[in-house]
Amino acid sequence: MYDFSYHKPGSVADAVKMLGADGEAKALAGGMTFIPVLKQRLNKPSAVVDLSAAGLSGIKLEGDKLIIGAMTTHATVASSPEVKKAIPALAHLANNIGDRQVRSRGTIGGSLANNDPSACYPSAVLALGATIHTNQRKVAADDYFQGMFATALEPGEIITAVEFPMAERAAYAKFPNPASRYAMVGVFVAKTAKGVRVAVTGAGQNGVFRHAAMEAALSTSFTPDAIKSVTTPADMMNADIHGSAAYRAHLVGVMAARAVAAA
Amino acid sequence: MIVDGIGASVKRVEDHRFLSGKGHYTDDMNRPGQTHAVFRRSDSPHARIKSIDIAAASKMAGVVAIFTGADLAAEGVGGVPCGWQIHNKDGSPMAEPMHPVLAIDKVRHVGDPIAMVVAETKQQAKDAAEAINIEFEELGGISDVRAAIAPGAPLVHDDVASNVCFDWHIGDKAATEAAFANAFKIIKLDLTNNRLVPNAMEPRAAISEYDISSGEYTLHTTSQNPHVIRLLMGAFVLHIPEHKLRVVAPDVGGGFGSKIFHYAEEAALTWAAAKVLRPIKWTADRSESFITDAHGRDHVSHAELAVAEDGKFLGLRVETLANMGAYLSTFAPSVPTYLSATLLAGVYTTPAIYAQVKAVFTHTVPVDAYRGAGRPEATFLLERIVDVAARDLGMDRVEIRRKNFIPADAFPYQTPIALQYDSGDYQTTLRECLRMADYDGFEARRKAAAAKGKLRGIGMSTYVEACGIAPSAVAGALGARAGLYEVANIRVHPTGSVTVFTGAHSHGQGHETTFAQLVADQLGIPFNQIEIVHGDTSKVPFGMGTYGSRSLSVGGSAMVKAMDKIILKGRKIAAHLMEASLDDVEFKDGKFTVTGTDKSKAFAEISLTAYVPHNYPIEELEPGLEETAFYDPKNFTYPGGCHICEVEIDPNTGTVAVINFTAVDDVGRVINPMIVEGQVQGGIAQGIGQALLEHAIYDESGQLLSGSMMDYTMPRADDLPNILVGTESTMCTHNPLGAKGVGEVGAIGSPPAVINAVVDALRDYDVRHLDMPATPAKIWGIINAHTLKMAAE
């Protein structure tokens, strides 16, 4: 780790001010990716702005919306009665991220701001058609994810909360990378008032993506059989020492069928 | 009656401090005035160092000193030595290129140290290490043994042609060729034993100190054998005599072989302590461990088994390419040769065996002994080819093994490949393991799994291994540059409590418990009256350390010998006190008695007399009660047994789940059954890790692709089943305890059992063999290719 100055602002406004004042400053959410990156000296921020006291945690149900504060930890989401009631699949997803230590520190906002291509949360946000609240605006999930580690966030823009619509049916199935246990392939399927959406994380070359062919098939019939013959083009997939593109493409189908069956 | 003696599952006395954070590990220590070292290492697998500029780095905040290979060379610091010399087929010695402590002229693997920065803080040392300006000329590397011996491959050492360290053979070639000429069938198999990263929980660490007033060096280091480090580093690298060099290995958090070896960092730190005249501390980062701790395995073999029509094995020939990495680590040459090829008879009566091993330098981290060291490689090869032979002959896998077993009444058994097994009963361990694993009920379980869409398979391995490498004279004739005895010093204090100084070293094995039980049992004194001391060259007279499952069979035997001396002296004192002749004094259950009388003296009465010799045979006997024994074994010990693994494969994802694992091992005398069970389970966890999960993958040029826990799959608790452990022991015939050793059996016996089970589960997919690790991607690839082939037909 290189030396940096550390700030812990008490409000979003102060955090934004600190980040704006220093182009080399970085925001810290749970730090489950950022701290290891710092320890490996792969990033050299001048200042770290810790968002943990900025009043961004909490979960509330507002009518037909579930709103989760950006600094809410995975462990809190996993055990929340509100989440379990509104979208149990989301609690299930949160409960299977990393390990107990990671779940106690990692946050939904941090995960979405980082947009790691093998993180779990982006698939839920995209499949459920959630809305990202920032200190400046509201961004639809479809507009938010812009490729590996790339998002619609502007410099100085901080995620404050994520707003989920209710789901009639939803489930997440993950095939973990054997070593890291990040999603090698994770598929979130959801049926909401706006229709059926399928989002795939871990597998794609450009991060999380919607699976149009599966969405079409499941709109007709929300059953595992409906997507049996739907294929996933291997040329969109990642390949590495843990698996070929063809294997990942195959796993997208397997995980999607499992998610549909569980939903 | 000694409650906590031999055979009792005494809870480990060391665990209280380990589990409550009270252990005393090297990184827990801090010294007044301590500095911190960081090594600048090569990012390139193979490059010429054109220049090293430390000027800017030296001026940075907190920097105390920066040392390079040239600084060490200027003072005559030697290379890191190799402790085992192999000879080529033509009798010439192996190539033994210089291994500089810090690189000189060239770097030869990613992680090769180039400079050492000593600074006030670790952060400052890191900053300065980054600021050293090094100009490299990239030379292009190779990581694969086959590529390394191909014409035109870049040379790791300019003076080692074709990168071949040695080309060695063993066995009777002519007899083996004759056996093959008479074969009904020749079973051929190519296999790779996957390269592993040891990953002890505690990374390597060291603190060096130099006392200018006494001229004495002290090195605390994470070692399995501090005396060996003192000898190698003192005599060959730094030229410091033993009485001026103290090496201490305090609590050590796992070794698995990787902490046997003398590493360059230890020498650099010790040497530099006298330069900066302050203590220097270094602790490896986990990323650093991946590219500097000696790796394990990495053998590529071709094997051929000649069989008769009835399934009898007639002959075996094996050719192996063994990866040595960029430099020879301490015992690397012994691993593919005398620790592996000599084991190719296994538990079978194969009459003719011939093995050839070519050891090859590559631009990778040095490879050396890792839990099992050569024996897992031999066992995997044998137990795979036996299963393939059964398949090719249409024979039952149990039947072919039984037919070829060395019978229980054939011991001592001379194999055709050097070793002489003293005892064993392979039919019994197999029978018991089949029973415990409910082998007969397997087909019903296979059907039940199939009904759920799962592919269930069962596999076994029946194996023998060789531990407690010895005797010294034989090991020396085979190339060992060290003795292989063990040392025990038993100090009985005046009131009868005992301190045992052992040359063995515990880095998780539970020696403080097992050895105390052994001493309690033999001396008939309470367990809590015994203290086990190890790991400090200034306290323990000498020792060869702990590896190769030798601590009890060799180290424990030394204790028995030392205790025999204590008891004899005690009898002499007792004879004097009770006015009896020595022959009439017996020692039993902590008491010296005169046979045929009711006279007796307690152990503590005798020890007190020894130290307060008022009424004492002072003319014949010195006061005091302390004895030392050096025990040099007559032979290896030969643990063995049977492992049975049952797996379930999800054909949709290729995931392999180990459902059941049963091990019945013959480890000789058991002192603490609970510790034995734990050792077997731990070894099996590592064996399952090798079989299904772990793989150190290099790209062609020598960049480590699985260089962190993000990509290197260590076994986790949820990867493992409940492991059922049984023991069916025959006694070792040549050591006083009958002990054979247990540290490595799990890692040796289990990998082929797992792969045999996986291959069995894939019986409908036309699989003859698959190499480890059996990852989901690999299994799905096999299933998918077969499905596509069937569809095409």
Side-chain angles (χ1 to χ4, degrees):
Chain A
M1 216 177 265
Y2 296 106
D3 283 348
F4 52 79
S5 57
Y6 173 81
H7 306 288
K8 194 171 179 179
S11 70
V12 174
D14 283 350
V16 170
K17 212 177 289 168
M18 287 166 182
L19 288 166
D22 180 350
E24 300 294 308
K26 291 266 184 199
L28 171 69
M32 293 298 90
T33 303
F34 190 43
I35 301 284
V37 163
L38 290 179
K39 284 169 80 172
Q40 288 180 66
R41 298 190 154 207
L42 297 172
N43 202 316
K44 197 177 180 176
S46 55
V48 168
V49 180
D50 183 347
L51 301 177
S52 62
L56 294 177
S57 8
I59 297 169
K60 55 190 174 185
L61 268 171
E62 282 183 4
D64 58 355
K65 289 170 187 164
L66 173 71
I67 297 174
I68 302 179
M71 288 296 288
T72 310
T73 64
H74 310 325
T76 305
V77 172
S79 60
S80 155
E82 289 86 0
V83 178
K84 284 183 183 167
K85 182 175 163 226
I87 313 171
L90 199 57
H92 173 254
L93 174 148
N95 200 38
N96 284 288
I97 297 174
D99 53 31
R100 190 176 289 270
Q101 289 79 5
V102 166
R103 291 193 291 275
S104 298
R105 290 290 308 168
T107 64
I108 187 169
S111 172
L112 295 174
N114 190 42
N115 191 22
D116 188 300
S118 50
C120 294
Y121 264 128
S123 67
V125 168
L126 189 59
L128 288 161
T131 304
I132 316 283
H133 294 196
T134 78
N135 59 320
Q136 296 172 8
R137 58 188 168 139
K138 293 180 179 180
V139 188
D142 284 319
D143 302 323
Y144 177 80
F145 298 105
Q146 301 192 348
M148 278 195 192
F149 300 104
T151 69
L153 292 176
E154 299 288 344
E157 190 173 12
I158 292 173
I159 299 175
T160 53
V162 188
E163 172 190 326
F164 292 94
M166 294 297 121
E168 257 175 66
R169 300 176 73 174
Y172 178 64
K174 168 164 83 168
F175 187 87
N177 174 307
S180 71
R181 302 232 170 144
Y182 272 82
M184 195 149 123
V185 173
V187 180
F188 201 103
V189 298
K191 189 173 182 183
T192 66
K194 289 186 176 167
V196 174
R197 289 164 66 118
V198 177
V200 180
T201 189
Q205 285 172 8
N206 293 310
V208 66
F209 67 92
R210 284 176 64 185
H211 203 304
M214 284 189 183
E215 289 181 359
L218 291 170
S219 299
T220 311
S221 162
F222 197 84
T223 60
D225 278 350
I227 51 171
K228 228 173 184 173
S229 55
V230 176
T231 55
T232 305
D235 56 11
M236 292 172 58
M237 300 287 114
N238 284 325
D240 58 21
I241 57 172
H242 302 289
S244 63
Y247 180 50
R248 282 183 167 81
H250 166 79
L251 285 177
V252 170
V254 176
M255 292 302 120
R258 287 184 185 175
V260 171
Chain B
M1 175 70 192
I2 299 303
V3 180
D4 292 334
I6 292 176
S9 284
V10 179
K11 287 206 174 120
R12 303 189 351 152
V13 292
E14 47 270 84
D15 281 351
H16 187 267
R17 72 174 193 276
F18 293 158
L19 298 177
S20 61
K22 301 290 194 300
H24 197 54
Y25 297 92
T26 300
D27 192 57
D28 293 330
M29 295 176 207
N30 291 295
R31 292 285 182 261
Q34 168 180 295
T35 61
H36 296 265
V38 163
F39 290 87
R40 172 68 184 267
R41 300 184 180 279
S42 175
D43 297 323
S44 164
H46 188 203
R48 190 171 310 286
I49 302 170
K50 293 172 73 178
S51 64
I52 304 176
D53 180 2
I54 62 167
S58 300
K59 291 190 196 104
M60 289 174 68
V63 173
V64 174
I66 298 177
F67 301 105
T68 66
D71 297 323
L72 280 80
E75 294 213 1
V77 170
V80 181
C82 178
W84 200 295
Q85 185 183 47
I86 294 294
H87 287 80
N88 292 302
K89 286 174 182 169
D90 66 8
S92 60
M94 68 182 188
E96 207 169 344
M98 172 76 171
H99 178 183
V101 170
L102 295 174
I104 293 171
D105 299 334
K106 259 172 118 179
V107 286
R108 295 183 174 86
H109 69 88
V110 172
D112 209 356
I114 302 165
M116 179 172 76
V117 178
V118 181
E120 299 293 339
T121 71
K122 188 167 185 177
Q123 291 305 312
Q124 288 170 332
K126 278 192 175 185
D127 289 342
E130 278 178 17
I132 297 172
N133 198 359
I134 306 174
E135 222 185 323
F136 291 109
E137 176 194 346
E138 292 295 333
L139 298 172
I142 26 110
S143 62
D144 183 87
V145 282
R146 287 155 293 203
I149 56 170
L155 293 181
V156 181
H157 299 277
D158 295 340
D159 51 351
V160 181
S162 310
N163 293 315
V164 176
C165 172
F166 60 78
D167 183 6
W168 171 91
H169 66 163
I170 193 169
D172 188 334
K173 189 178 181 185
T176 307
E177 297 308 320
F180 274 80
N182 292 323
F184 166 69
K185 210 167 187 149
I186 296 172
I187 315 295
K188 298 181 180 179
L189 191 61
D190 289 296
L191 350 70
T192 297
N193 206 285
N194 45 325
R195 185 182 184 110
L196 304 174
V197 179
N199 274 314
M201 196 182 288
E202 179 204 25
R204 286 193 296 120
I207 302 178
S208 62
E209 294 165 83
Y210 177 69
D211 181 343
I212 196 165
S213 59
S214 66
E216 211 174 288
Y217 293 81
T218 302
L219 178 72
H220 281 76
T221 184
T222 48
S223 175
Q224 301 178 211
N225 32 234
H227 286 90
V228 175
I229 302 306
R230 186 182 67 170
L231 181 65
L232 292 174
M233 182 172 77
F236 297 100
V237 190
L238 300 181
H239 316 299
I240 305 169
E242 284 91 338
H243 69 294
K244 293 292 183 194
L245 177 57
R246 175 183 175 205
V247 178
V248 186
D251 283 337
V252 174
F256 313 111
S258 72
K259 292 172 182 167
I260 297 172
F261 323 121
H262 174 39
Y263 286 95
E265 293 87 355
E266 294 169 324
L269 289 159
T270 305
W271 176 84
K275 299 293 158 205
V276 302
L277 295 173
R278 291 170 65 182
I280 312 174
K281 181 174 187 173
W282 167 75
T283 302
D285 293 341
R286 181 61 62 182
S287 323
E288 202 173 6
S289 303
F290 268 91
I291 52 168
T292 67
D293 291 1
H295 290 179
R297 321 281 193 251
D298 206 346
H299 290 186
V300 176
S301 296
H302 174 74
E304 297 188 358
L305 180 68
V307 289
E309 195 168 2
D310 65 354
K312 278 291 251 188
F313 305 155
L314 304 174
L316 176 70
R317 57 190 176 204
V318 176
E319 280 176 74
T320 294
L321 293 174
N323 201 336
M324 294 286 104
Y327 303 103
L328 288 178
S329 176
T330 309
F331 291 116
S334 68
V335 175
T337 51
Y338 293 107
L339 296 179
S340 191
T342 50
L343 211 69
L344 286 169
V347 291
Y348 309 113
T349 55
T350 317
I353 300 173
Y354 178 65
Q356 304 177 77
V357 178
K358 215 175 251 186
V360 180
F361 289 113
T362 61
H363 295 103
T364 63
V365 174
V367 181
D368 205 329
Y370 169 67
R371 202 170 192 171
R375 291 149 291 163
E377 294 89 323
T379 303
F380 183 70
L381 181 151
L382 258 184
E383 289 305 293
R384 278 301 301 136
I385 206 166
V386 167
D387 255 35
V388 170
R391 172 197 154 101
D392 288 0
L393 292 169
M395 276 181 77
D396 180 77
R397 293 176 289 167
V398 176
E399 191 199 335
I400 198 168
R401 286 179 166 84
R402 284 198 167 129
K403 189 180 274 277
N404 286 285
F405 275 164
I406 297 162
D409 60 8
F411 294 93
Y413 180 81
Q414 179 62 52
T415 73
I417 198 141
L419 301 179
Q420 190 190 72
Y421 305 159
D422 62 332
S423 65
D425 183 352
Y426 310 130
Q427 296 283 5
T428 298
T429 44
L430 171 63
R431 188 188 65 235
E432 274 309 292
C433 200
L434 291 170
R435 185 187 64 75
M436 278 173 62
D438 186 22
Y439 189 78
D440 292 340
F442 174 73
E443 283 309 322
R445 298 194 293 277
R446 193 201 294 274
K447 281 201 191 84
K452 296 183 298 174
K454 297 283 173 67
L455 311 172
R456 191 141 171 153
I458 195 163
M460 74 192 65
S461 80
T462 49
Y463 75 97
V464 63
E465 57 130 338
C467 294
I469 181 168
S472 292
V474 171
L478 304 180
R481 287 164 167 164
L484 286 152
Y485 47 81
E486 198 44 84
V487 185
N489 170 259
I490 309 248
R491 182 176 300 164
V492 181
H493 302 290
T495 63
S497 67
V498 172
T499 304
V500 179
F501 299 88
T502 171
H505 182 272
S506 188
H507 28 282
Q509 292 89 340
H511 290 175
E512 288 164 55
T513 308
T514 302
F515 287 154
Q517 285 181 251
L518 171 59
V519 172
D521 193 280
Q522 304 278 298
L523 295 184
I525 59 175
F527 178 83
N528 63 10
Q529 292 290 298
I530 301 154
E531 182 77 17
I532 306 296
V533 174
H534 59 79
D536 187 339
T537 61
S538 70
K539 293 181 181 167
V540 179
F542 203 73
M544 298 312 297
T546 285
Y547 42 81
S549 309
R550 69 194 299 276
S551 301
L552 184 64
S553 66
V554 191
S557 294
M559 283 174 207
V560 171
K561 280 194 68 178
M563 284 189 282
D564 286 347
K565 294 184 189 179
I566 294 278
I567 291 165
L568 177 60
K569 186 167 180 182
R571 283 174 56 223
K572 288 179 182 169
I573 299 168
H576 174 85
L577 288 179
M578 296 187 283
E579 295 173 339
S581 82
L582 177 61
D583 291 343
D584 290 338
V585 176
E586 260 189 357
F587 179 69
K588 208 181 159 203
D589 297 336
K591 274 185 187 148
F592 295 88
T593 52
V594 180
T595 41
T597 74
D598 58 358
K599 287 185 189 171
S600 86
K601 291 281 175 193
F603 184 74
E605 290 179 82
I606 297 302
S607 61
L608 192 64
T609 305
Y611 286 95
V612 187
H614 296 165
N615 178 13
Y616 196 83
I618 203 80
E619 298 296 324
E620 299 127 51
L621 217 53
E622 291 171 11
L625 197 52
E626 174 168 348
E627 297 287 351
T628 300
F630 282 58
Y631 174 76
D632 200 87
K634 295 185 186 75
N635 190 356
F636 288 79
T637 61
Y638 298 97
C642 178
H643 289 189
I644 295 179
C645 178
E646 207 165 319
V647 301
E648 234 173 57
I649 293 175
D650 176 350
N652 291 314
T653 61
T655 307
V656 179
V658 180
I659 306 293
N660 295 315
F661 199 103
T662 312
V664 175
D665 298 298
D666 173 356
V667 299
R669 173 90 60 212
V670 171
I671 306 292
N672 183 319
M674 179 197 72
I675 288 179
V676 163
E677 188 178 358
Q679 283 281 330
V680 172
Q681 288 176 334
I684 288 169
Q686 281 176 308
I688 291 173
Q690 168 163 30
L692 298 180
L693 307 166
E694 298 184 48
H695 199 183
I697 302 174
Y698 277 96
D699 77 1
E700 283 175 19
S701 74
Q703 287 290 344
L704 183 60
L705 301 179
S706 52
S708 79
M709 296 295 185
M710 291 293 280
D711 287 304
Y712 186 89
T713 313
M714 285 297 283
R716 293 161 162 96
D718 65 354
D719 292 312
L720 303 170
N722 282 323
I723 297 167
L724 215 53
V725 177
T727 47
E728 282 293 332
S729 286
T730 59
M731 294 300 125
C732 170
T733 60
H734 57 78
N735 67 43
L737 282 168
K740 296 186 176 182
V742 69
E744 296 161 297
V745 293
I748 292 167
S750 60
V754 177
I755 295 299
N756 287 344
V758 169
V759 172
D760 181 53
L762 295 171
R763 55 165 57 185
D764 295 334
Y765 296 88
D766 195 27
V767 181
R768 189 165 177 270
H769 173 69
L770 64 91
D771 277 321
M772 303 182 288
T775 61
K778 190 181 282 178
I779 301 291
W780 179 79
I782 289 167
I783 292 172
N784 187 49
H786 185 264
T787 309
L788 293 175
K789 190 177 146 204
M790 289 295 116
E793 284 168 10

